[in-house]
Amino acid sequence: MPKVIAEEGVAPARARDTRLVWLLGPALVAGVAYLDPGNVASNMTAGALFGYLLVWVVIAGNLMAWLVQYLSAKLGIVTGRSLPQLLGDRIHRPWARRAYWLQAEVVAMATDIAEVIGGAVALQLLFGLPLVWGGAITGAVSIALLVFQARRGARAFETVVIGMLLVIAIGFCAGIVVAPPDPAGIAGGLVPRFEGTQSVLLAASILGATIMPHAIYAHSALSRDRFRPAGATGPAMSAARIGSLLRATRWDVTIAMAVAGTVNVVMLLLAASSLAGVPGTDSLEGAYAAIREGIDPVVATLFAVGLLASGLASTAVGAYAGSEIMAGLLRVRVPVVVRRLVTLVPALAILAVGADPTWALVLSQVVLSFGIPFALVPLVWLTARRGVLGVFRNRTLTTVAGAAASVLLIALNGVLLWLVATGG
């Protein structure tokens, strides 16, 4: 067996390593979850209501997300199993496994709701379609993407999703070129602080939209499926091969988080510089109207196109994650298309009853925030165990960083509950 160095089991580089570009992809697909309509609603609302106050939350969340997504990918590559599969093997009591699945399923459904609502709002802004029809069209397109994935494979699916990622980035970043933010305001937003219960609610929403539980579950499965690791059918991979994949994965995650983090910060800065204090801009529809009237109609159209691409791309990734959660924890494999049809119902119901779509998006991200510890704590625990990853287990510093992120997120959720309960 090749000699493995201590740095998280990374093997020495080899001249015959597969080209880096070919190994990129899974993190970029998972990274679409960091640019879904829930992110748009949370960041735009935070900027419109509180200006630059919560810039630090977006940046801190993105830094934590890098670590989380790398650990998830590493788990899938080294073990050949996804996080839900490993948890399903270790939670022996059926009632406990079902309870864990239930909370993960609620998180996945909250994700589905956010993505369908976002696509519906975008179609209404672009074409004037009723929200319910827009939601149905978004669901239909997501089903087509899932069928495409099943027939053409992971690589072709990655290409389509990454193409949408570029559309999302252009659509959301165009406005910042026309209306640049205030440097002093940005600097002030880097100082950690809150201003009342609503700012804490939005901070939890931003973190829930940034460190998304379903992306943690999905990334381990995406990496497993892409690289046929030791646990998959076929010959086991050598330590050198695993080390090469982990090096490529760090690049993959870095690129994905750089893109997602930049776009998320830009969304908040755009709202803070151009929409703060403008009536009605705490909603996606109001933000679109304000951008159209106050900045440029073309920029507003690009914003709506970016929102549409965000909903379409992320809804396919969300359905993939939900299917993996059910298969891993309940050992029941439901076709992703069937699952997509079922989870489409609550999103269409919310649109049909006339609920405010923007706040439905924000609250869905708060639900995601409360699901983070249930995915993050087991992830850190499993990747730190020699019995699971062997020589590729986390270094102590990595485990400490993951534990610190878990504690911070749990504490934020606790503060949020206390503020809401006391009316603070």
Side-chain angles (χ1 to χ4, degrees):
M1 177 178 290
K3 183 180 179 180
V4 178
I5 62 176
E7 172 62 27
E8 295 191 85
V10 176
R14 290 190 173 186
R16 63 176 180 268
D17 282 351
T18 305
R19 289 179 303 170
L20 175 63
V21 173
W22 180 250
L23 298 177
L24 302 180
L28 289 168
V29 173
V32 167
Y34 294 81
L35 294 172
D36 80 340
N39 291 82
V40 182
S42 296
N43 291 320
M44 297 295 288
T45 302
L49 293 180
F50 294 99
Y52 300 98
L53 177 71
L54 299 179
V55 169
W56 68 273
V57 176
V58 180
I59 294 175
N62 202 67
L63 292 174
M64 288 188 283
W66 186 97
L67 174 62
V68 169
Q69 293 308 132
Y70 172 65
L71 293 181
S72 178
K74 182 170 75 167
L75 187 69
I77 290 171
V78 177
T79 67
R81 298 176 69 76
S82 69
L83 177 59
Q85 285 177 315
L86 290 168
L87 290 174
D89 292 341
R90 284 162 173 76
I91 303 175
H92 300 296
R93 296 182 180 276
W95 65 266
R97 193 167 59 248
R98 294 189 190 103
Y100 191 95
W101 165 80
L102 182 60
Q103 64 79 29
E105 189 67 35
V106 170
V107 164
M109 292 188 70
T111 302
D112 288 337
I113 289 171
E115 291 153 355
V116 172
I117 290 177
V121 171
L123 288 171
Q124 184 180 66
L125 296 176
L126 288 170
F127 306 111
L129 292 177
L131 288 175
V132 175
W133 282 106
I137 292 172
T138 301
V141 174
S142 71
I143 290 173
L145 285 173
L146 293 170
V147 172
F148 177 82
Q149 178 197 27
R151 293 183 177 179
R152 299 295 297 275
R155 189 66 184 178
F157 179 68
E158 287 172 10
T159 301
V160 172
V161 174
I162 291 170
M164 290 187 176
L165 182 64
L166 293 176
V167 174
I168 295 167
I170 294 171
F172 290 143
C173 292
I176 207 74
V177 177
V178 180
D182 175 30
I186 297 174
L190 297 176
V191 179
R193 65 193 191 282
F194 296 109
E195 291 181 3
T197 304
Q198 193 171 22
S199 68
V200 179
L201 174 66
L202 283 170
S205 179
I206 290 171
L207 289 175
T210 302
I211 307 171
M212 303 186 78
H214 85 282
I216 299 174
Y217 298 123
H219 201 170
S220 59
L222 287 165
S223 297
R224 174 205 63 195
D225 293 345
R226 174 77 125 78
F227 299 124
R228 292 183 66 233
T233 302
M237 288 194 299
S238 67
R241 174 61 174 165
I242 293 175
S244 298
L245 292 177
L246 293 180
R247 284 193 296 275
T249 294
R250 282 194 286 274
W251 277 105
D252 194 21
V253 174
T254 298
I255 293 170
M257 292 301 100
V259 172
T262 299
V263 176
N264 278 314
V265 170
V266 164
M267 283 190 282
L268 191 148
L269 295 181
L270 176 64
S273 62
S274 303
L275 308 181
V278 178
T281 52
D282 56 346
S283 69
L284 291 175
E285 300 90 339
Y288 170 83
I291 292 172
R292 184 178 181 86
E293 296 172 8
I295 300 179
D296 187 83
V298 174
V299 172
T301 300
L302 289 173
F303 171 82
V305 170
L307 180 62
L308 178 60
S310 167
L312 295 177
S314 55
T315 191
V317 177
Y320 173 88
S323 178
E324 183 63 34
I325 289 168
M326 179 174 287
L329 292 168
L330 298 187
R331 301 182 178 91
V332 175
R333 178 68 69 175
V334 176
V336 289
V337 172
V338 175
R339 178 186 170 79
R340 172 74 279 182
L341 289 171
V342 172
T343 57
L344 189 60
V345 173
L348 294 179
I350 289 174
L351 294 173
V353 299
D356 177 51
T358 300
W359 272 104
L361 285 172
V362 172
L363 291 176
S364 74
Q365 304 312 293
V366 174
V367 173
L368 294 182
S369 182
F370 283 100
I372 291 170
F374 293 98
L376 184 52
V377 171
L379 175 68
V380 174
W381 176 69
L382 287 171
T383 54
R385 291 177 60 85
R386 177 180 286 275
V388 178
L389 296 189
V391 295
F392 296 96
R393 72 190 188 282
N394 297 339
R395 297 179 66 185
T396 301
L397 182 60
T398 303
T399 300
V400 169
S406 303
V407 170
L408 286 172
L409 291 166
I410 294 170
L412 177 62
N413 290 334
V415 170
L416 173 62
L417 282 176
W418 180 78
L419 287 174
V420 171
T422 60

